[in-house]
Amino acid sequence: MKKVTITLWICILLPVTLLAQSPRTTVRKDVPLDSIVLSDPFILADKNTATYYMTGTGGMLWKSRNLKTWEGPYAVTKTDPGSWMGPRPRIWAAELHQYQGKYYYFGTFTNTSIKIDTVQGNVIDRRASHVLVSDAPGGPYVPMKDSTYLPPGKPTLDGTFWIDTDKKPYLVYCHEWLQNWNGTVEKIELKPDLSGTIGEGKVLFRASDSPWSKEKDKNGNIIFNKVTDGPFLFRTKTGRLGMIWTSWVYNVYTQGVAYSAGGKLDGPWIHEKEPITPPNFGHGMLFNTLDGRLLMVLHSHEEINGRYHRVPHLFNADVSGDKLVLGAPYIP
């Protein structure tokens, strides 16, 4: 796991670092989806503009009318350089959500100049899930009232949005395994206008709860994989609450699914025994196309000359029954 982990961080952070050092990015047009290098893709299908907006790690935005060809990348965030994020934060796993007439940018922001902890030799940067807002899907996305959504000494990532059965909004996120050595997926209530959080976070499940994610310890024993990554929530047509999330099976990037036995965020969460995606695909989300088709977008994962190469892909998906069923690749 140590070798995989070191490679993972180098390959993810390098392109994000380069992007942060190059604020002027050339916008390209008519770019095929499979020509875009992007981790953690998220697509908002916006009916108001009849446009698809895609973002992910790196924090840039792509636009499309047909899912086939795209225009971008656009810089859409305007963070406060005087905040904990610093002047040029790294951005991971950005999501776009429309809510009560506005558009919200759920992202993971990292300030590498601030160190918050050292665990088992790993120095941990200041990193947290945070929410920005805009009046338009294309941004700009700017900070709201609260300067901090989650505890500053706790590295959190991959925040997503959910309205639970109590009709309250929640931020669902991961507490990074680098600190707790057994990654978690947690929830915290958001203020009604999403401008901050209320109360404290609650653990929904731990990496060790998964029957399919695994790794080997230093003695070669098979143990649970520590990583929790990319949660995304959905409901089936029967009303069942599910969550896709990503981890590893040894060195294979993999996505699984869990279902809430209680039908609420509080669970308890029961994990399917087998992954839901093909090997080396993960960090997915579900969206309805402008003509009503349910798709999953996620990225493929390939190691080339010691670096990870990740590209968005579309799959048909079905939640008409009691479970999420992943279909064949979707070709726009």
Side-chain angles (χ1 to χ4, degrees):
M1 180 64 184
K2 185 175 182 181
K3 181 179 179 181
V4 172
T5 300
I6 292 172
T7 305
L8 172 64
W9 289 117
I10 290 174
C11 296
I12 287 178
L13 291 179
L14 180 59
V16 179
T17 302
L18 293 177
L19 183 61
Q21 293 171 346
S22 305
R24 293 183 180 180
T25 304
T26 301
V27 172
R28 297 177 287 151
K29 296 184 178 182
D30 298 322
V31 181
L33 181 63
D34 60 7
S35 296
I36 299 173
V37 177
L38 179 68
S39 300
D40 315 326
F42 189 100
I43 294 177
L44 170 70
D46 184 60
K47 293 183 179 180
N48 294 332
T49 57
T51 301
Y52 297 99
Y53 298 86
M54 181 172 67
T55 187
T57 286
M60 305 297 278
L61 184 76
W62 293 82
K63 304 176 185 179
S64 176
R65 294 283 187 175
N66 55 18
L67 293 174
K68 184 176 182 179
T69 56
W70 295 79
E71 178 180 311
Y74 293 94
V76 295
T77 60
K78 291 188 176 181
T79 56
D80 177 6
S83 72
W84 67 264
M85 297 180 189
R88 301 176 75 177
R90 293 170 174 167
I91 304 175
W92 296 353
E95 299 188 359
L96 302 178
H97 295 273
Q98 186 179 14
Y99 181 66
Q100 295 186 346
K102 292 185 178 293
Y103 295 86
Y104 294 88
Y105 187 102
F106 283 62
T108 300
F109 299 86
T110 301
N111 185 342
T112 59
S113 66
I114 300 176
K115 311 301 178 183
I116 62 171
D117 205 351
T118 300
V119 180
Q120 298 196 28
N122 292 301
V123 179
I124 302 172
D125 296 324
R126 176 74 167 94
R127 174 163 45 253
S129 296
H130 201 89
V131 184
L132 308 179
V133 67
S134 177
D135 291 324
Y141 288 89
V142 299
M144 288 184 281
K145 298 175 184 176
D146 285 14
S147 59
T148 301
Y149 279 65
L150 294 162
K154 180 177 181 177
T156 55
L157 67 158
D158 295 357
T160 192
F161 182 53
W162 187 250
I163 305 294
D164 207 16
T165 54
D166 58 6
K167 307 301 182 184
K168 296 178 180 179
Y170 288 88
L171 174 66
V172 178
Y173 59 92
C174 299
H175 180 190
E176 191 172 28
W177 70 271
L178 286 172
Q179 185 177 59
N180 61 22
W181 226 242
N182 185 3
T184 60
V185 173
E186 306 181 4
K187 74 164 190 176
I188 192 168
E189 185 180 345
L190 288 163
K191 293 180 178 179
D193 63 355
L194 312 191
S195 64
T197 53
I198 299 172
E200 298 181 353
K202 177 183 177 180
V203 174
L204 303 181
F205 63 81
R206 293 174 170 81
S208 56
D209 296 332
S210 166
W212 55 264
S213 61
K214 53 182 69 75
E215 62 179 85
K216 290 184 179 180
D217 65 16
K218 62 182 179 181
N219 297 317
N221 300 310
I222 297 174
I223 61 172
F224 66 89
N225 195 288
K226 308 177 199 59
V227 175
T228 50
D229 182 83
F232 180 85
L233 293 133
F234 64 93
R235 282 199 186 274
T236 66
K237 206 162 189 179
T238 62
R240 195 178 188 194
L241 178 61
M243 182 194 303
I244 50 177
W245 67 286
T246 300
S247 188
W248 296 77
V249 179
Y250 306 119
N251 64 341
V252 178
Y253 195 65
T254 307
Q255 180 174 264
V257 62
Y259 293 96
S260 170
K264 303 177 182 180
L265 276 179
D266 286 339
W269 288 91
I270 310 301
H271 297 262
E272 295 287 274
K273 293 182 179 179
E274 300 296 332
I276 194 170
T277 50
N280 284 315
F281 283 87
H283 202 116
M285 59 83 61
L286 298 164
F287 70 99
N288 286 296
T289 63
L290 295 173
D291 59 1
R293 180 189 296 268
L294 182 65
L295 298 179
M296 179 185 289
V297 63
L298 71 174
H299 69 247
S300 59
H301 172 88
E302 183 181 10
E303 187 172 346
I304 301 175
N305 297 324
R307 294 188 61 186
Y308 288 162
H309 181 71
R310 291 174 163 179
V311 175
H313 294 264
L314 297 169
F315 281 80
N316 288 288
D318 182 13
V319 292
S320 61
D322 202 38
K323 288 187 175 184
L324 169 64
V325 178
L326 195 65
Y330 174 73
I331 309 300

